[in-house]
Amino acid sequence: MADVMRYDDNCLFCKIMRGEVPSDRVYEDSFCYAFRDIHPQAPTHILVVPRAHLVNVTEINRENGDLIGHVFSAISKIAYREGIAEEGFRVIANSGPHAGQTVPHLHFHVLAGTQLGEKMV
Ligand code: 5GP
Ligand code: ZN
C-alpha cells in the first residue's frame, strides 16, 4: 500500500481528513475518506479520497495500485450504502489543468441521484 502518512500541510483535502477543516463525512477507513462535495453537481455528489497525498492520476503506479483498488472497492460499498448502486452513478477523476482540477489531491467524484448530463464518452 502507498504510504498513508504522506500528507501536505497546505492541502485542503489532507486538512479535511485530519479534521482541521470540517466536512460532511460519508465513509472512512484506514486508507480512504469520503465526504459530500460542498458544491454538489447532482443530488448525490461524494468525493472519495485516498489518505495518501497523491496529486492526481499521474501519480498512480504499480506500487500504489493496491491503494487505488481499495479506493474503488470503497466506492462500490458507498454506492450500495447510498442506495445509488442500482440506478447507477458516474465516477470522475479530474487530473490537471485541461480537466479543470482545482484541488491537487487525488479524488474521485461520485455523481448520482438523477439522469446525469450528456456523456462526453
Ligand atoms: P476538482 O475540481 O479538483 O475535480 O474537484 C474539487 C471539488 O472539491 C469541487 O467539486 C469542489 O466543489 C470541492 N470542494 C472544494 N473545496 C471544498 C471544501 O472545503 N469542502 C468540500 N466538501 N468540498 C470542497
Ligand atoms: Zn493532500
Side-chain angles (χ1 to χ4, degrees), residues 42-65:
T44 299
H45 185 171
I46 295 166
L47 300 171
V48 187
V49 181
R51 288 193 185 275
H53 179 85
L54 303 173
V55 169
N56 61 32
V57 173
T58 63
E59 295 199 339
I60 296 175
N61 55 42
R62 294 289 286 270
E63 275 66 53
N64 57 33

Side-chain angles (χ1 to χ4, degrees), residues 12-13 16 21-24 35-41 45 47 92-95 99-105 107 109:
L12 174 63
F13 288 175
I16 283 179
V21 170
S23 65
D24 185 358
F35 55 103
R36 297 194 193 280
D37 196 292
I38 205 163
H39 294 126
Q41 304 300 312
H45 185 171
L47 300 171
I92 296 173
N94 294 317
S95 292
Q101 183 180 11
T102 56
V103 179
H105 181 131
H107 53 281
H109 295 260

